[in-house]
Amino acid sequence: MLPRLVHVLLAVSLLAAAGLPACRQRPGGPAGEAALVHLADLVPDEAVTGRAPAPHREVRWRFDRPRPEWRPARAPQLAEVELERLADGVRLALRPPARPQGPLLVGGIAVDLEGLRFADWEAVLVRARTRDRVGGLAVAYNLDEEGALPDPMLFVVGASGAPPVFSDGSEQTYAIPLRPRRPRPGGLRSLGVFAGAPGPARVDILSVALVPRGGAFREARGAGAVTRGEATRW
């Protein structure tokens, strides 16, 4: 089916370039009577092949093993974060900083990245669980830049950049889009996962995955998160 379609499209292009009509008068037929011409018959019977760029593979970190490359994110406005190894993940315990910056505690973990282009990636999947009151989860990137850390208001209004968290102890996967800032970043140098809570809270992070652009639509069928504007739907 695909080679035949390619033949037809190529023939249309050739006809357009040569100024030829798509149908012609039938030999010996009355003037003005046209006969159907199969465009695929006008080009050699050869397959037109090509290779699409190989898509990037998902980058995944599982925390059922030591992940020393992930560290607590540090900044004056962030909560203190204590890390505890679990059998299947790492537990983030949010504690008030020495100088509280607002009514919410926002803290998280971060990792350095190398050789990644921002344009190649579209979302982060965070597998997590908690039994504490947590306003939401958020991601940030290039944490050394001004304005990179998540706004605490994200965890209050329930924006698509900080999906609300189930507090029943169940394991859930949260799909969080990577939104470009201005000026649009070229490289992706670091990545952070943050939780926001009204008080001390614990969140278990089981895995973090960086999803390549278009990666949500690789399968022929299935369900997944899609974000358009400020709305994320399954």
Side-chain angles (χ1 to χ4, degrees):
M1 176 65 72
L2 183 57
R4 172 66 62 177
L5 178 59
V6 172
H7 287 164
V8 172
L9 294 176
L10 180 58
V12 171
S13 299
L14 292 174
L15 289 172
L20 297 177
C23 56
R24 62 189 179 198
Q25 182 177 343
R26 180 185 301 171
E33 183 178 350
L36 181 64
V37 175
H38 293 282
L39 298 179
D41 296 337
L42 301 181
V43 296
D45 188 16
E46 298 178 359
V48 179
T49 61
R51 178 174 297 179
H56 292 277
R57 293 184 179 273
E58 181 181 270
V59 179
R60 180 178 292 272
W61 296 268
R62 290 176 48 181
F63 290 89
D64 57 353
R65 63 194 69 178
R67 289 294 183 186
E69 67 270 33
W70 285 83
R71 65 189 184 278
R74 304 293 187 188
Q77 66 268 42
L78 293 178
E80 293 292 331
V81 174
E82 298 177 3
L83 302 183
E84 177 186 351
R85 281 288 315 282
L86 304 175
D88 59 351
V90 62
R91 174 166 293 169
L92 281 63
L94 303 184
R95 300 286 182 261
R99 296 181 179 179
Q101 301 290 316
L104 291 181
L105 298 181
V106 178
I109 54 176
V111 66
D112 292 327
L113 304 172
E114 294 183 3
L116 299 183
R117 291 197 320 147
F118 179 86
D120 293 335
W121 308 92
E122 68 177 9
V124 176
L125 303 181
V126 181
R127 185 78 174 169
R129 67 170 177 251
T130 184
R131 290 190 178 276
D132 295 335
R133 186 182 175 190
V134 176
L137 292 176
V139 297
Y141 56 87
N142 298 350
L143 304 182
D144 58 331
E145 295 179 353
E146 183 178 356
L149 297 177
D151 187 333
M153 287 302 298
L154 279 177
F155 305 100
V156 176
V157 299
S160 61
V165 175
F166 289 84
S167 60
D168 59 359
S170 63
E171 296 181 9
Q172 302 288 337
T173 298
Y174 302 91
I176 308 172
L178 279 176
R179 300 193 183 281
R181 299 193 298 270
R182 294 185 179 181
R184 189 178 184 90
L188 197 57
R189 302 187 307 277
S190 62
L191 180 70
V193 176
F194 295 85
R202 297 174 299 176
V203 180
D204 300 342
I205 304 296
L206 309 181
S207 68
V208 175
L210 191 56
V211 180
R213 188 162 299 279
F217 302 98
R218 288 184 178 179
E219 303 298 330
R221 59 181 61 85
V226 176
T227 299
R228 294 292 182 269
E230 294 298 322
T232 298
R233 296 289 184 266
W234 281 86

